[in-house]
Amino acid sequence: MKSTPVIDLSKAPGERAAWDQPTWKVYLWAVCELIFVTNPWQISSGLRIRVLRAFGAEIGDRVVFRPRTRVKFPWKLHLGDRSWIGEGVWFHNQDHVYIGHDVVLSQETFLTTGSHAHRRDMALITRPITIEPGAWVTSRCVVLGGARIGRSCLITPLSVVDARAVPDGEIWGGNPLAFVSERMLDGSRLS
């Protein structure tokens, strides 16, 4: 009878591979995130943004950042003007997340840039996420590392966006992700 091997997780490389900052800064961020960003109280969106910027996040003007959000590493978050980040959005950004202007990430959407070499040694593997201007990722979606969501796309609720490029101006949804329709049916394009 064949014995199926098991990866010894105590020998898996990369526990802190994505930190790329001093240990003190990572731990200080964890405290500030808990008090100012993840905090469920309706404290100022502006205060959340100031704290994120203090730790290196690039956040544009007139961004709305709702309560209960989580950001693994703010120095790997790039967010364009006038974007809306809904309550409970989680950026598990072990790699960079690039979000254009006028993007909506709705409630409890999860963006993760990391995975593991599951066939080898469980080493950390990261890939960035790019969400182009005008896109709307609706409630409780999962966006995986390597994904590129095109300009003015709409991702329907509970969808999983894997490491692919979703074309501009389209609606996609489901798991597995599939084309639904064009977003701007009358052919109009907004600025």
Side-chain angles (χ1 to χ4, degrees):
M1 182 179 254
K2 180 181 168 187
S3 176
T4 303
V6 174
I7 297 169
D8 182 344
L9 295 179
S10 70
K11 297 176 182 172
E15 178 186 348
R16 296 182 178 191
W19 283 23
D20 71 358
Q21 295 291 321
T23 301
W24 67 265
K25 185 174 182 179
V26 173
Y27 287 134
L28 180 60
W29 165 246
V31 171
C32 290
E33 179 193 31
L34 181 64
I35 295 169
F36 298 107
V37 181
T38 305
N39 189 322
W41 295 342
Q42 296 290 335
I43 61 173
S44 163
S45 179
L47 177 59
R48 269 186 215 88
I49 290 168
R50 285 192 297 279
V51 171
L52 285 159
R53 285 178 178 154
F55 280 87
E58 296 174 359
I59 300 176
D61 294 329
R62 298 190 316 246
V63 169
V64 175
F65 218 100
R66 303 296 297 159
R68 293 190 317 101
T69 52
R70 294 188 63 191
V71 179
K72 179 80 172 172
F73 297 132
W75 48 90
K76 295 181 181 186
L77 179 61
H78 315 274
L79 185 56
D81 295 341
R82 300 176 305 277
S83 290
W84 298 346
I85 307 303
E87 189 163 343
V89 169
W90 184 2
F91 297 95
H92 196 265
N93 58 331
Q94 294 168 301
D95 206 320
H96 291 268
V97 173
Y98 301 96
I99 298 172
H101 61 85
D102 301 296
V103 168
V104 178
L105 298 179
S106 290
Q107 298 80 3
E108 297 185 2
T109 285
F110 177 59
L111 298 92
T112 182
T113 59
S115 189
H116 295 276
H118 64 275
R119 295 185 193 274
R120 248 186 9 248
D121 57 3
M122 292 297 285
L124 179 66
I125 300 170
T126 67
R127 296 174 71 186
I129 292 171
T130 302
I131 301 176
E132 299 291 339
W136 178 15
V137 180
T138 61
S139 299
R140 294 192 171 180
C141 291
V142 175
V143 182
L144 302 175
R148 180 202 164 273
I149 298 174
R151 183 180 183 90
S152 294
C153 281
L154 187 148
I155 306 298
T156 64
L158 301 171
S159 297
V160 176
V161 182
D162 54 15
R164 72 171 71 198
V166 177
D168 294 351
E170 295 181 355
I171 299 173
W172 284 65
N175 182 15
L177 194 67
F179 174 77
V180 175
S181 70
E182 296 292 323
R183 182 172 179 193
M184 312 293 184
L185 293 178
D186 65 357
S188 65
R189 293 284 179 210
L190 302 175
S191 58

